[in-house]
Amino acid sequence: MNRTLLINEIFLSIQGESSRAGYPCVFVRLTGCSSRCTWCDTRYAMTNGTTTSLQNIIDTIAGFKTPLVEITGGEPLEQENVYPLMQQLCNRGYNVMLETGGFHPVSRVDHRVHKIIDLKPPSSGSSSNNHETNIRIALKAPPAEQALFEFKIVIAGKEDYEWATRLLQRTRINEHCPVVMGTVFSELSPAILASWILKDHLNVRMQLQLHKYIWPPDMRGV
Ligand SMILES: C[S@@+](CC[C@H](N)C(=O)[O-])C[C@H]1O[C@@H](n2cnc3c(N)ncnc32)[C@H](O)[C@@H]1O
Ligand SMILES: Nc1nc2[nH]cc(C(=O)O)c2c(=O)[nH]1
Ligand code: SF4
Ligand SMILES: [Mg+2]
């Protein structure tokens, strides 16, 4: 079957987010997202895309000669053929990461994929769409698979931070899986977020979007 995906861009860059930040990584950005996070930095991926066969995507990735591949968007889980793409990349031996907004259960994602799941705070305007099933799936996973779950919370201010600490107290997800916490770029000072995390002895990994410090923050394809 000639399966396709609507692709916004495929590029090689330095992974700027998550526990793998700093490693060379191929990014496959899928077009389209039905959410509208107020501070989304990738609005250009909402509509523009090229219909591309899975084989063509895999060949493009192979050309970058890099073992780490991240599937992002847009919202990657909104296109059905993302599932066979991830499976085929895993079969070929790539380290595959998925970056998802967390509005869809990750139960159909190949278990070998490193899943980075956002928990959207109130400032995003998308908080009511969080799918807490993903937290339950991660908590129930056997330890070896739990290591392939990572949750991410992007914070714009104190209200978001307090929402996040309540979520962590209630679910204790950070005792089982890495939780990365970062700032909405240019909205909240990293030093302020760092001071809150330190004051509360919060067991999270702070991260900044590394690529926005390496290159101009609004540059595309990096
Ligand atoms: C553009 S989204 C694409 C993947 C998926 N839709 C999602 O939300 O995870 C990739 C990541 O960028 C983060 N992000 C978007 N806009 C941001 C901003 N202005 N500052 C910091 N992180 C941002 C999102 O929270 C998400 O973790
Ligand atoms: N360099 C770089 N690292 C990233 N990590 C996650 C990204 C994303 O947009 O999902 C991203 C991105 O857009 N660029
Ligand atoms: S879910 Fe991701 S791509 Fe969609 S609007 Fe929110 S940050 Fe942007
Ligand atoms: Mg990005």
Side-chain angles (χ1 to χ4, degrees), residues 24 28 30 54 71-72 74 80 115 129 140 152 171 185 190 196 207 214:
V28 180
L30 275 63
L54 296 201
I71 312 296
T72 183
E80 181 61 27
K115 297 162 279 293
N129 296 331
K140 274 200 281 179
K152 174 153 79 165
T171 63
F185 191 81
W196 292 339
Q207 67 143 30
I214 301 175

Side-chain angles (χ1 to χ4, degrees), residues 136-168:
R136 288 194 288 277
I137 294 172
L139 288 174
K140 274 200 281 179
E145 285 188 23
Q146 227 166 34
L148 291 173
F149 282 84
E150 180 166 328
F151 290 87
K152 174 153 79 165
I153 314 179
V154 177
I155 303 283
K158 192 72 180 188
E159 187 195 355
D160 283 356
Y161 179 77
E162 285 171 352
W163 175 90
T165 53
R166 283 196 302 274
L167 180 76
L168 296 179

Side-chain angles (χ1 to χ4, degrees), residues 11 13-17 27 29 42 70 72-73 99 211 222:
F11 58 93
S13 188
I14 296 292
Q15 175 57 268
E17 304 174 26
F27 290 84
R29 193 180 303 286
T42 318
E70 172 156 306
T72 183
E99 182 98 24
H211 50 296
V222 294

Side-chain angles (χ1 to χ4, degrees), residues 103-178:
F103 310 129
H104 303 275
V106 296
S107 40
R108 290 178 58 212
V109 175
D110 190 291
H111 70 278
R112 296 167 291 183
V113 171
H114 183 122
K115 297 162 279 293
I116 305 162
I117 304 168
D118 263 39
L119 299 164
K120 301 287 186 194
S123 69
S124 68
S126 304
S127 215
S128 61
N129 296 331
N130 283 326
H131 214 301
E132 284 209 21
T133 310
N134 285 326
I135 294 180
R136 288 194 288 277
I137 294 172
L139 288 174
K140 274 200 281 179
E145 285 188 23
Q146 227 166 34
L148 291 173
F149 282 84
E150 180 166 328
F151 290 87
K152 174 153 79 165
I153 314 179
V154 177
I155 303 283
K158 192 72 180 188
E159 187 195 355
D160 283 356
Y161 179 77
E162 285 171 352
W163 175 90
T165 53
R166 283 196 302 274
L167 180 76
L168 296 179
Q169 271 166 6
R170 177 165 60 81
T171 63
R172 300 178 162 226
I173 187 66
N174 55 335
E175 293 171 21
H176 302 268
C177 305

Side-chain angles (χ1 to χ4, degrees), residues 40-76:
C40 179
D41 62 6
T42 318
R43 297 216 172 90
Y44 62 84
M46 297 294 166
T47 49
N48 302 316
T50 306
T51 301
T52 315
S53 69
L54 296 201
Q55 190 57 54
N56 197 325
I57 296 167
I58 290 166
D59 290 346
T60 304
I61 293 168
F64 290 113
K65 303 190 186 313
T66 301
L68 185 63
V69 177
E70 172 156 306
I71 312 296
T72 183
E75 175 45 58

Side-chain angles (χ1 to χ4, degrees), residues 23-41:
Y23 286 103
C25 180
V26 179
F27 290 84
V28 180
R29 193 180 303 286
L30 275 63
T31 301
C33 178
S34 43
S35 297
R36 290 289 177 271
C37 300
T38 50
W39 34 250
C40 179
D41 62 6

